[in-house]
Amino acid sequence: MAVGKTPVSVLQELLSRRGTTPKYELVQIEGAIHEPTFRYRVTVADIVAMGIGRSKKEAKHAAAKAILDKIVVEGTEDGIGNNLIPEMKNEIVSPYDDKIPGNPIGNLQEMCMSRRWPPPSYELVNEEGLPHERLFTIACTVFKQRELGTGKSKKLAKRQAAHKMLEKLQDVQSVPSAMSPGLDDDDDEIAHSVPNGVSRYADLKDSKISTMTSTQSHKVSQFHKNLKMSSGPKLSELQATALNNVEFNYVQLLQEIATEQDFEVTYVDIEEKSIKGKSQCLVQLSTLPVAVCYGTGSNSKEAQSAAAQNALEYLKIMTKK
């Protein structure tokens, strides 16, 4: 098939080999009389796609392109897309005049979803020129990466910005630190990658870390057994408590369990704020081994409560019968 064929002709040829044809329907005309917008619907088997354009021809091509994208990506139960080889995607001419092949906006969205990244965001940053010769600039942002696209319409500018972002990210498999948006939990910061894939903790591999002696291991093992066999009203209350109520007094329950089981609870407020500007706190349980749990909150009290909640989660797991 020769390069340069329109989406309508590519779709027609693809389906004619299977003895079927696409069904096009003009479903809407909107806008001013001198500047109408046409909307076409195309149906192939059980696949339906829409396309819009400033002329019927442009809208029809857009609809054909949309359904070709669906066939390429999804296929259908009767295998209608199975014979559409990948190279055919490059033979499809965009219904827009930007000479960018395919659907960069949709492709960028799919890339972010497949890599479990946040979706791209778009922002109109500039608009200039006479009413009939407008030039739009749209910014596409993924993490901290930002690319600008310009065009005679917002759609064209958005396509160009998405296309540039795709080219930048196509070889990126993990999230470099320069792109990191900050993860959901402050203590997940250590999971961030850094430039050239070199971990900030790479020196640990050469460190000599002392291991426990057999006597120490036995003491820890015995502690876990004793903890497993522990009983008491407050421990029973803990097992029956759902630790997801923001109104619950976790600090009080932890202290009551500590009194019952004869260990001490010590809170250590951290002066520095977290990377999200939150108060931080550590709570230490004088058990063997010592247990230390972390919490954050909008103030010191909330941080202590979060740390106590995490400590209770630990005890709940360790004492479950």
Side-chain angles (χ1 to χ4, degrees):
M1 187 181 297
V3 173
K5 294 204 172 185
T6 64
V8 170
S9 61
V10 170
L11 182 61
Q12 185 69 33
E13 287 191 18
L14 173 66
L15 298 180
S16 64
R17 300 178 196 149
R18 294 180 166 271
T20 185
T21 57
K23 178 184 178 182
Y24 295 95
E25 297 174 89
L26 178 62
V27 295
Q28 189 176 20
I29 304 176
E30 56 186 4
I33 296 177
H34 65 284
E35 202 173 29
T37 299
F38 299 88
R39 185 184 298 271
Y40 261 88
R41 176 171 59 219
V42 60
T43 306
V44 176
D46 58 349
I47 305 178
V48 179
M50 305 291 288
I52 59 174
R54 297 175 184 171
S55 67
K56 292 182 179 179
K57 182 178 180 181
E58 185 178 299
K60 200 172 179 180
H61 283 313
K65 176 63 176 68
I67 206 161
L68 280 168
D69 286 342
K70 283 192 173 187
I71 292 173
V72 171
V73 174
E74 302 170 7
T76 60
E77 291 182 0
D78 63 1
I80 197 167
N82 292 346
N83 291 336
L84 186 58
I85 57 175
E87 289 80 0
M88 190 172 289
K89 287 190 284 186
N90 298 325
E91 298 174 1
I92 300 171
V93 174
S94 167
Y96 304 95
D97 59 3
D98 55 10
K99 297 181 181 178
I100 296 175
N103 178 11
I105 297 171
N107 293 341
L108 180 60
Q109 181 85 9
E110 289 175 11
M111 172 190 283
C112 291
M113 288 178 62
S114 66
R115 297 181 182 182
R116 296 185 178 181
W117 294 351
S121 61
Y122 298 91
E123 176 190 4
L124 178 63
V125 296
N126 193 34
E127 182 179 346
E128 58 186 6
L130 300 173
H132 63 286
E133 291 181 347
R134 304 298 285 170
L135 187 65
F136 300 88
T137 302
I138 285 183
C140 173
T141 304
V142 176
F143 293 116
K144 293 182 180 179
Q145 294 296 301
R146 194 166 183 259
E147 289 293 333
L148 298 178
T150 58
K152 297 177 182 178
S153 69
K154 293 178 183 177
K155 183 73 171 181
L156 289 171
K158 187 175 179 180
R159 282 171 53 82
Q160 188 182 101
H163 178 65
K164 287 183 177 180
M165 186 62 73
L166 270 172
E167 290 187 329
K168 175 175 283 190
L169 300 181
Q170 61 184 353
D171 296 325
V172 177
Q173 296 301 323
S174 60
V175 184
S177 60
M179 294 169 56
S180 170
L183 302 183
D184 290 338
D185 296 314
D186 292 311
D187 51 349
D188 278 342
E189 184 183 8
I190 60 173
H192 291 181
S193 304
V194 292
N196 302 322
V198 180
S199 168
R200 71 179 74 177
Y201 303 105
D203 292 342
L204 284 176
K205 67 181 181 181
D206 298 321
S207 301
K208 293 184 178 180
I209 301 174
S210 300
T211 58
M212 289 190 295
T213 65
S214 58
T215 302
Q216 291 170 327
S217 297
H218 177 72
K219 286 183 178 180
V220 171
S221 176
Q222 191 61 44
F223 162 76
H224 287 145
K225 288 180 181 178
N226 292 341
L227 194 58
K228 200 80 171 176
M229 298 301 293
S230 298
S231 62
K234 290 303 175 182
L235 276 183
S236 298
E237 181 183 335
L238 173 62
Q239 291 298 332
T241 301
L243 301 175
N244 56 4
N245 184 351
V246 293
E247 304 296 330
F248 191 81
N249 192 334
Y250 297 111
V251 172
Q252 180 180 333
L253 178 58
L254 180 59
Q255 186 56 55
E256 290 172 346
I257 292 175
T259 301
E260 179 183 83
Q261 301 298 321
D262 194 25
F263 63 82
E264 294 181 1
V265 176
T266 305
Y267 293 93
V268 180
D269 291 322
I270 302 173
E271 292 185 6
E272 296 83 1
K273 297 292 186 181
S274 72
I275 59 175
K276 289 188 176 181
K278 294 182 179 181
S279 297
Q280 303 182 93
C281 179
L282 297 174
V283 61
Q284 176 180 294
L285 312 183
S286 62
T287 53
L288 179 66
V290 172
V292 179
C293 296
Y294 170 79
T296 63
S298 57
N299 53 49
S300 176
K301 185 177 179 181
E302 286 188 7
Q304 286 187 10
S305 178
Q309 181 182 7
N310 289 331
L312 287 168
E313 288 278 10
Y314 163 73
L315 290 173
K316 188 173 183 178
I317 293 170
M318 296 303 296
T319 59
K320 188 175 181 180
K321 300 293 188 287

